Amino acid sequence: MYETPLAGLILSGGGARTAYQVGMLQAIACIHRESGTDPRRNPFGIIVGSSAGAINAAALACHADRFDGAVERVADVWANFSAEQVYRADSLDVIRSGAQWLTMMSLGWLIARWRCARPRSLLDNGPLADLLRRMAPVERLQGMLRARHVHALAVSASSYSSGLHVTFCEAAGMIDPWTRSQRIAVRTSISTSHLLASAAIPIVFPAQSIELEGVNEWFGDGSIWQTAPISPAIHLGAQRSS
């Protein structure tokens, strides 16, 4: 069960900063053990992430029934991190992608456009999708919410179609979606596509097609507009944050 008042965990974007988050999480888990608190108990009722921070956030929320185990899982991924876990780095794939971009930047871009061959991104992040399915199995999230191991998970992404910064939320109870200038919140079932979208660096990784109010829009990096998503945590009811 999550604590009252609700504590919110805010995980910002940025590759190096996201790796540093692991050390902070390990320190919290250590304090948990030393304080005599059940190390499996999740101390954060609300978990919010943006960009690569959304990946860590989802991993914690999807394993909220065992906080210490979730932290160990995230730490293990980052300790053994390699480029091959994120994008296809073999020579053939890199050459193929580079050739497409060279075509687009040369006089041949007209032919490429005519053939609808414009590449969506510089790199293919298919391996990241596979990693996310293991690291953050979103099919467990609803069970974590029903059992009150976590109150809400929110991840942010930027719509290339509308220009809006969108916070996708999944919560145990009722929430009132909010609207601000160029920022909206949407209640939905968070999927791997939402995580891929939040961490999709523009041009480098492919945008993700996600339905928003009945229309499919293209989404990318959540840190374009909001690196540290403090506001969503507050809207979702966090009364203190880390």
Side-chain angles (χ1 to χ4, degrees), residues 61-63 137-151 153 170-172 187-190:
C62 292
H63 295 281
V138 291
E139 64 274 7
R140 298 191 84 241
L141 183 55
Q142 288 190 3
M144 298 298 99
L145 293 167
R146 285 195 299 269
R148 292 298 197 269
H149 291 301
V150 66
H151 176 71
L153 169 67
E170 191 166 355
R187 182 166 188 165
T188 188
S189 294
I190 292 176

Side-chain angles (χ1 to χ4, degrees), residues 42-237:
N42 172 34
F44 302 106
I46 295 168
I47 305 177
V48 182
S50 181
S51 192
I55 296 174
N56 286 347
L60 295 176
C62 292
H63 295 281
D65 54 339
R66 185 170 177 179
F67 179 72
D68 58 341
V71 171
E72 290 175 8
R73 184 183 300 266
V74 172
D76 182 67
V77 169
W78 283 100
N80 298 284
F81 202 72
S82 65
E84 289 78 10
Q85 291 178 296
V86 179
Y87 58 87
R88 302 192 192 284
D90 59 276
S91 300
L92 183 60
D93 281 310
V94 172
I95 291 171
R96 183 185 298 115
S97 179
Q100 287 178 318
W101 279 98
L102 284 173
T103 298
M104 293 297 295
M105 291 186 290
S106 69
L107 293 177
W109 72 272
L110 286 171
I111 298 174
R113 183 175 182 181
W114 178 68
R115 292 178 177 175
C116 298
R118 182 183 299 181
R120 292 186 301 164
S121 63
L122 182 60
L123 299 174
D124 176 359
N125 66 345
L128 178 58
D130 295 334
L131 175 64
L132 287 177
R133 294 185 187 101
R134 299 191 303 271
M135 184 178 176
V138 291
E139 64 274 7
R140 298 191 84 241
L141 183 55
Q142 288 190 3
M144 298 298 99
L145 293 167
R146 285 195 299 269
R148 292 298 197 269
H149 291 301
V150 66
H151 176 71
L153 169 67
V155 300
S156 299
S158 302
S159 172
Y160 299 155
S161 303
S162 65
L164 292 173
H165 179 82
V166 182
T167 299
F168 297 99
C169 312
E170 191 166 355
M174 295 295 296
I175 60 172
D176 294 321
W178 59 93
T179 301
R180 297 291 183 271
S181 177
Q182 295 298 303
R183 292 185 289 135
I184 64 171
V186 176
R187 182 166 188 165
T188 188
S189 294
I190 292 176
S191 68
T192 300
S193 292
H194 293 97
L195 305 181
L196 286 170
S198 187
I201 301 171
I203 299 177
V204 179
F205 295 135
Q208 298 293 308
S209 178
I210 298 175
E211 184 177 306
L212 182 64
E213 298 179 348
V215 178
N216 283 331
E217 297 191 12
W218 292 101
F219 284 87
D221 199 336
S223 287
I224 292 177
W225 294 107
Q226 194 173 43
T227 301
I230 298 173
S231 177
I234 295 172
H235 281 292
L236 288 169

